[in-house]
Short mmCIF file of all heavy atoms in Angstrom, two decimals:
data_model
loop_
_atom_site.label_atom_id
_atom_site.label_comp_id
_atom_site.label_asym_id
_atom_site.label_seq_id
_atom_site.Cartn_x
_atom_site.Cartn_y
_atom_site.Cartn_z
N GLU H 68 -10.54 9.83 -6.08
CA GLU H 68 -10.31 8.79 -7.08
C GLU H 68 -9.95 7.45 -6.42
O GLU H 68 -10.38 6.39 -6.88
CB GLU H 68 -9.23 9.21 -8.07
CG GLU H 68 -9.60 10.44 -8.88
CD GLU H 68 -10.76 10.22 -9.85
OE1 GLU H 68 -11.07 9.07 -10.18
OE2 GLU H 68 -11.35 11.23 -10.28
N THR H 69 -9.19 7.49 -5.33
CA THR H 69 -8.84 6.27 -4.61
C THR H 69 -10.08 5.66 -3.96
O THR H 69 -10.29 4.44 -4.03
CB THR H 69 -7.75 6.54 -3.56
OG1 THR H 69 -6.55 6.95 -4.24
CG2 THR H 69 -7.44 5.30 -2.73
N ARG H 70 -10.90 6.47 -3.35
CA ARG H 70 -12.14 5.96 -2.74
C ARG H 70 -13.04 5.31 -3.77
O ARG H 70 -13.64 4.26 -3.52
CB ARG H 70 -12.88 7.08 -2.01
CG ARG H 70 -12.22 7.46 -0.70
CD ARG H 70 -13.02 8.51 0.02
NE ARG H 70 -12.35 8.89 1.26
CZ ARG H 70 -12.49 10.04 1.86
NH1 ARG H 70 -13.31 10.96 1.36
NH2 ARG H 70 -11.84 10.30 2.98
N GLN H 71 -13.15 5.91 -4.94
CA GLN H 71 -13.96 5.31 -6.01
C GLN H 71 -13.35 3.99 -6.48
O GLN H 71 -14.06 3.01 -6.69
CB GLN H 71 -14.11 6.28 -7.18
CG GLN H 71 -15.02 7.44 -6.86
CD GLN H 71 -15.12 8.43 -8.01
OE1 GLN H 71 -14.33 8.41 -8.95
NE2 GLN H 71 -16.08 9.32 -7.93
N ALA H 72 -12.04 3.98 -6.66
CA ALA H 72 -11.37 2.77 -7.15
C ALA H 72 -11.51 1.62 -6.16
O ALA H 72 -11.63 0.45 -6.57
CB ALA H 72 -9.89 3.07 -7.41
N ARG H 73 -11.53 1.93 -4.88
CA ARG H 73 -11.66 0.87 -3.86
C ARG H 73 -13.01 0.17 -3.92
O ARG H 73 -13.18 -0.89 -3.33
CB ARG H 73 -11.40 1.45 -2.47
CG ARG H 73 -9.93 1.74 -2.24
CD ARG H 73 -9.66 2.31 -0.89
NE ARG H 73 -8.21 2.46 -0.69
CZ ARG H 73 -7.68 3.17 0.27
NH1 ARG H 73 -8.45 3.80 1.15
NH2 ARG H 73 -6.36 3.27 0.37
N GLN H 74 -13.95 0.72 -4.62
CA GLN H 74 -15.26 0.09 -4.79
C GLN H 74 -15.25 -0.91 -5.96
O GLN H 74 -16.18 -1.70 -6.11
CB GLN H 74 -16.34 1.14 -5.01
CG GLN H 74 -16.53 2.04 -3.81
CD GLN H 74 -17.53 3.16 -4.08
OE1 GLN H 74 -18.24 3.16 -5.06
NE2 GLN H 74 -17.56 4.12 -3.18
N TRP H 75 -14.21 -0.87 -6.79
CA TRP H 75 -14.13 -1.74 -7.95
C TRP H 75 -13.62 -3.12 -7.53
O TRP H 75 -12.73 -3.25 -6.68
CB TRP H 75 -13.20 -1.16 -9.01
CG TRP H 75 -13.62 0.17 -9.54
CD1 TRP H 75 -14.86 0.76 -9.43
CD2 TRP H 75 -12.80 1.11 -10.22
NE1 TRP H 75 -14.86 1.99 -10.03
CE2 TRP H 75 -13.60 2.24 -10.52
CE3 TRP H 75 -11.48 1.12 -10.62
CZ2 TRP H 75 -13.12 3.33 -11.21
CZ3 TRP H 75 -10.99 2.22 -11.30
CH2 TRP H 75 -11.81 3.30 -11.58
N LEU H 76 -14.16 -4.12 -8.15
CA LEU H 76 -13.75 -5.50 -7.90
C LEU H 76 -12.28 -5.69 -8.28
O LEU H 76 -11.87 -5.35 -9.38
CB LEU H 76 -14.62 -6.45 -8.73
CG LEU H 76 -14.42 -7.94 -8.49
CD1 LEU H 76 -14.79 -8.31 -7.06
CD2 LEU H 76 -15.27 -8.74 -9.46
N GLY H 77 -11.51 -6.19 -7.33
CA GLY H 77 -10.11 -6.50 -7.60
C GLY H 77 -9.12 -5.38 -7.35
O GLY H 77 -7.91 -5.58 -7.51
N PHE H 78 -9.60 -4.18 -6.97
CA PHE H 78 -8.66 -3.10 -6.68
C PHE H 78 -7.95 -3.42 -5.37
O PHE H 78 -8.60 -3.74 -4.36
CB PHE H 78 -9.37 -1.74 -6.59
CG PHE H 78 -8.42 -0.59 -6.47
CD1 PHE H 78 -7.76 -0.10 -7.59
CD2 PHE H 78 -8.17 0.01 -5.24
CE1 PHE H 78 -6.87 0.97 -7.49
CE2 PHE H 78 -7.28 1.07 -5.13
CZ PHE H 78 -6.63 1.55 -6.25
N PRO H 79 -6.62 -3.36 -5.33
CA PRO H 79 -5.89 -3.72 -4.12
C PRO H 79 -6.25 -2.82 -2.93
O PRO H 79 -6.30 -1.59 -3.07
CB PRO H 79 -4.42 -3.53 -4.50
CG PRO H 79 -4.40 -3.50 -5.99
CD PRO H 79 -5.73 -2.98 -6.43
N THR H 80 -6.49 -3.42 -1.79
CA THR H 80 -6.89 -2.66 -0.60
C THR H 80 -5.76 -1.78 -0.07
O THR H 80 -6.03 -0.82 0.64
CB THR H 80 -7.36 -3.60 0.52
OG1 THR H 80 -6.31 -4.52 0.83
CG2 THR H 80 -8.61 -4.37 0.11
N ASP H 81 -4.52 -2.11 -0.43
CA ASP H 81 -3.37 -1.35 0.05
C ASP H 81 -2.86 -0.35 -0.99
O ASP H 81 -1.74 0.13 -0.90
CB ASP H 81 -2.24 -2.30 0.45
CG ASP H 81 -1.73 -3.14 -0.71
OD1 ASP H 81 -2.41 -3.22 -1.76
OD2 ASP H 81 -0.63 -3.72 -0.57
N ALA H 82 -3.70 -0.02 -1.97
CA ALA H 82 -3.27 0.83 -3.09
C ALA H 82 -3.86 2.23 -3.02
O ALA H 82 -4.94 2.45 -2.49
CB ALA H 82 -3.66 0.18 -4.41
N ILE H 83 -3.13 3.17 -3.62
CA ILE H 83 -3.57 4.56 -3.79
C ILE H 83 -3.51 4.87 -5.28
O ILE H 83 -2.47 4.70 -5.91
CB ILE H 83 -2.66 5.54 -3.01
CG1 ILE H 83 -2.63 5.20 -1.52
CG2 ILE H 83 -3.09 6.99 -3.26
CD1 ILE H 83 -3.95 5.35 -0.79
N ALA H 84 -4.64 5.31 -5.83
CA ALA H 84 -4.71 5.65 -7.26
C ALA H 84 -4.07 7.01 -7.50
O ALA H 84 -4.40 7.98 -6.81
CB ALA H 84 -6.17 5.66 -7.71
N ILE H 85 -3.17 7.09 -8.49
CA ILE H 85 -2.51 8.37 -8.77
C ILE H 85 -2.74 8.87 -10.19
O ILE H 85 -2.46 10.04 -10.47
CB ILE H 85 -1.00 8.31 -8.48
CG1 ILE H 85 -0.29 7.28 -9.37
CG2 ILE H 85 -0.75 8.04 -6.99
CD1 ILE H 85 1.23 7.42 -9.39
N ALA H 86 -3.25 8.02 -11.09
CA ALA H 86 -3.45 8.47 -12.48
C ALA H 86 -4.39 7.51 -13.20
O ALA H 86 -4.55 6.36 -12.82
CB ALA H 86 -2.12 8.54 -13.21
N SER H 87 -4.99 8.02 -14.28
CA SER H 87 -5.89 7.24 -15.11
C SER H 87 -5.53 7.41 -16.58
O SER H 87 -5.11 8.49 -17.00
CB SER H 87 -7.33 7.70 -14.90
OG SER H 87 -8.20 7.09 -15.83
#
Side-chain angles (χ1 to χ4, degrees):
E68 297 293 341
T69 296
R70 285 183 182 155
Q71 288 177 346
R73 286 180 176 166
Q74 296 175 12
W75 299 343
L76 185 63
F78 187 78
T80 58
D81 62 345
I83 302 296
I85 62 165
S87 172

